[in-house]
Amino acid sequence: MESPFRPDVLKGKAALVTGGGSGICFEIAAQLARHGAQVAIMGRRREVLDKAVAALRSQGLRAVGFDGDVRKQEDAARVLAATVEHFGKLDILVNGAAGNFLASPEDLTPKGFRTVLEIDTVGTYTMCYEALNYLKKGGPGKGPSTGGLIINISATLHYTATWYQIHVSAAKAGVDSITRSLALEWGTDYDIRVNGIAPGPIQGTPGLRKLAPEEMSKGHLEMMPLFKFGEKQDIAMAALYLASDAGKYVNGTTLVVDGGLWLSHPRHIPKEEVKELSKLVEKKVRFSGVGVPSSKL
């Protein structure tokens, strides 16, 4: 799909993407770079980072990788400092590092539950906390009235409830709360916009292979309003919108990009049957006099 954005829409911007070595966040990093930004990616595995950076550079994109664990404050501080030292500033922070697996509550230990919250929720806050002095107005490479942007990658699991995802539902609910609270406080005090993106099932990602393997996904498409999985570029385009001037007045919003899936429920009655039932009900109402003005009775 050809990008609807100008190739230079993020020219002069510097971004850091956690979890940017693979999946959705690699595509976000790639699209930020293709549209003019200098991009750093952060991840725990050096070999994955090196491969990702090499792939970006092979396309002529400006990219660098820093290994680190978002759960560790010292790693967050080191990677952010290295990013700013390398690019001279930081304009965009994308918090995409996450952990997930299928587990029923009775089989999920408190340690496993805690691990996901530490990566997704605490890790997101830790990166935001350490990035504040770089992103706020008047920070390195910034004017006195121009702050930066934070994008937190969330999910829709907690909007209702999702089987075998109690740990991630809790974690992403926390991420959404962080997004709103920082948008209010840091938007007011530091001119930092804070938004989120909640992806639906995206094809070709480790997450989809892990959470919806082929054995479990038969018939899944029939439940989706658009009858298809999303693409990684769909999420990257949402990130570009938020990072560009097109989204400059958007703050405190988590943008759902799932084709309407979170709204969907199984269709228990076929559409034609509903039409026939509606006609039958209307006929009964007419004959019973319900809804007819008393003057006409």
Side-chain angles (χ1 to χ4, degrees), residues 167-269:
H167 46 324
V168 185
S169 293
K172 294 306 189 183
V175 169
D176 284 359
S177 182
I178 289 170
T179 295
R180 291 190 295 269
S181 294
L182 292 185
L184 170 65
E185 300 201 43
W186 287 4
T188 303
D189 295 337
Y190 305 114
D191 194 48
I192 297 174
R193 289 189 300 117
V194 187
N195 291 297
I197 300 174
I202 305 300
Q203 64 184 357
T205 61
L208 187 62
R209 290 191 293 271
K210 187 185 298 183
L211 302 179
E214 187 176 348
E215 294 80 5
M216 292 179 60
S217 59
K218 293 177 180 178
H220 190 67
L221 288 175
E222 284 71 19
M223 293 178 59
M224 302 176 69
L226 298 184
F227 296 99
K228 61 182 177 181
F229 292 120
E231 300 176 358
K232 287 176 281 189
Q233 193 175 11
D234 294 322
I235 310 305
M237 290 299 110
L240 277 173
Y241 162 68
L242 293 171
S244 72
D245 285 345
K248 66 183 177 62
Y249 200 52
V250 181
N251 188 37
T253 294
T254 296
L255 182 59
V256 178
V257 187
D258 76 337
L261 177 60
W262 84 273
L263 300 168
S264 68
H265 300 280
R267 186 181 301 188
H268 297 295
I269 305 175

Side-chain angles (χ1 to χ4, degrees), residues 11 50 157 197:
K11 184 178 180 179
D50 289 342
L157 306 171
I197 300 174

Side-chain angles (χ1 to χ4, degrees), residues 69-111:
D69 189 333
V70 297
R71 293 173 293 182
K72 299 177 180 178
Q73 188 173 354
E74 60 272 22
D75 281 14
R78 172 178 51 80
V79 169
L80 282 157
T83 300
V84 173
E85 181 180 358
H86 192 84
F87 296 138
K89 63 174 182 171
L90 179 68
D91 301 294
I92 304 163
L93 170 64
V94 179
N95 289 308
N100 201 354
F101 48 88
L102 293 171
S104 57
E106 61 270 27
D107 296 326
L108 178 65
T109 66
K111 181 180 179 181

Side-chain angles (χ1 to χ4, degrees), residues 271-287:
K271 186 178 294 186
E272 292 304 316
E273 189 174 334
V274 170
K275 291 180 180 179
E276 292 304 315
L277 285 171
S278 296
K279 292 177 182 177
L280 181 61
V281 170
E282 289 174 6
K283 186 180 295 184
K284 286 183 177 179
V285 169
R286 284 199 300 272
F287 279 108

Side-chain angles (χ1 to χ4, degrees), residues 107-122:
D107 296 326
L108 178 65
T109 66
K111 181 180 179 181
F113 185 91
R114 187 182 305 112
T115 297
V116 173
L117 263 74
E118 286 175 347
I119 297 171
D120 290 48
T121 315
V122 180

